[in-house]
Amino acid sequence: MLHTGTVTGVVDGPRLLDAVDIARAALIEDGHRPGEHRHAVAEGEWAAAHYFDADLIGYRGWQWCVVVAGAPGSDEVTVSEVVLLPGDGALLSPSWVPWSKRVAPGDLSAGDVLAADPDDVRLVPNQIDTGDEFVADPDEIAQISGALGLGRKRLLSREGRDEAAQRWYDGDFGPGSEMAQAAQFPCCTCGFYIPLSGSLRAAFGACANEFSADAHVVSAEYGCGAHSDMVAPKGEGTPAFDAFDDGVLEIVAVSAGAGADDPDGRS
């Protein structure tokens, strides 16, 4: 919202701070209904900004700002600008975030398309594209090429690998998780642990235990109570209490006519 114009009046440099009525008149002329005048701020020797409450629906805490100006030897006050500005406690919209940076893990659903950027640092171009890495004959060289990633146009870069490794290491299936801290043995010694191939083999694998982290990538240092070497507790009862023999209970028959004054059923 911009308003420019000239309003005649008596002006003296410092007295621009007192030009409240002129600033208010500029707002009214623009069709606004200014509220209480809050304060004025000098903006140099020959300019001042006046702030008024803005009584607008949806703009709680905002304020009108009217900039007035003058010149030496002139009896005119020039209204330079009228703007709506947020004040203390103003209701503001969130900072703009590009769509590509708003996507979060778990947002992708069936039918959605999420293409990696051509310059995605997590990916690098591959050397060749054979197009036949999944042939039926296991003796074919294409099978070896597919295992090495030679059948793909793009491969994971060092940055992409390092980001994934750090994310997995710091996540729910890393050595710092509550489950891992309470475990007796690490995953790298478990029979359900399937190591990854390539450079991440020494640090990560997949869990094949359906009662634990099944199908998740886990750190070799992760662990849980379902380790393949875990020994079941022995003995009867719980570790805190001995087994209770209910055969020692004595069954006492109570007559139907027994009352509160005769608990043993005697008349």
Side-chain angles (χ1 to χ4, degrees), residues 77-255:
V77 174
T78 300
V79 178
S80 301
E81 189 175 19
V82 174
V83 293
L84 186 62
L85 299 176
D88 295 337
L91 185 62
L92 302 175
S93 61
S95 301
W96 169 252
V97 179
W99 175 87
S100 59
K101 295 184 179 180
R102 284 181 303 190
V103 179
D107 287 349
L108 192 66
S109 59
D112 291 342
V113 175
L114 182 62
D117 293 333
D119 57 350
D120 194 326
V121 296
R122 301 172 301 171
L123 297 169
V124 291
N126 201 3
Q127 299 302 316
I128 61 175
D129 183 9
T130 64
D132 61 347
E133 63 273 20
F134 300 113
V135 296
D137 188 355
D139 296 330
E140 291 288 340
I141 189 64
Q143 287 289 334
I144 301 176
S145 298
L148 297 177
L150 298 180
R152 292 174 282 167
K153 295 181 180 180
R154 304 171 79 183
L155 297 176
L156 198 62
S157 66
R158 176 177 296 180
E159 291 83 357
R161 182 193 62 206
D162 292 345
E163 286 183 13
Q166 192 66 55
R167 187 170 62 250
W168 296 342
Y169 190 85
D170 296 336
D172 294 337
F173 301 103
S177 64
E178 183 179 358
M179 179 72 79
Q181 293 294 315
Q184 298 183 32
F185 308 108
C187 282
C188 59
T189 62
C190 181
F192 295 108
Y193 180 76
I194 305 174
L196 296 183
S197 62
S199 59
L200 295 177
R201 178 184 179 88
F204 299 97
C207 177
N209 190 337
E210 62 180 310
F211 301 109
S212 183
D214 188 34
H216 286 88
V217 174
V218 297
S219 167
E221 303 173 53
Y222 179 71
C224 70
H227 192 280
S228 60
D229 295 340
M230 193 64 64
V231 179
K234 299 179 180 180
E236 298 179 353
T238 66
F241 305 99
D242 295 332
F244 179 74
D245 183 7
D246 57 5
V248 300
L249 294 177
E250 181 182 359
I251 307 300
V252 179
V254 179
S255 172

Side-chain angles (χ1 to χ4, degrees), residues 41-63:
V41 179
E43 302 287 353
E45 184 177 357
W46 295 101
H50 291 265
Y51 294 88
F52 299 83
D53 286 342
D55 186 16
L56 295 174
I57 298 176
Y59 286 84
R60 185 184 63 192
W62 287 63
Q63 55 192 351

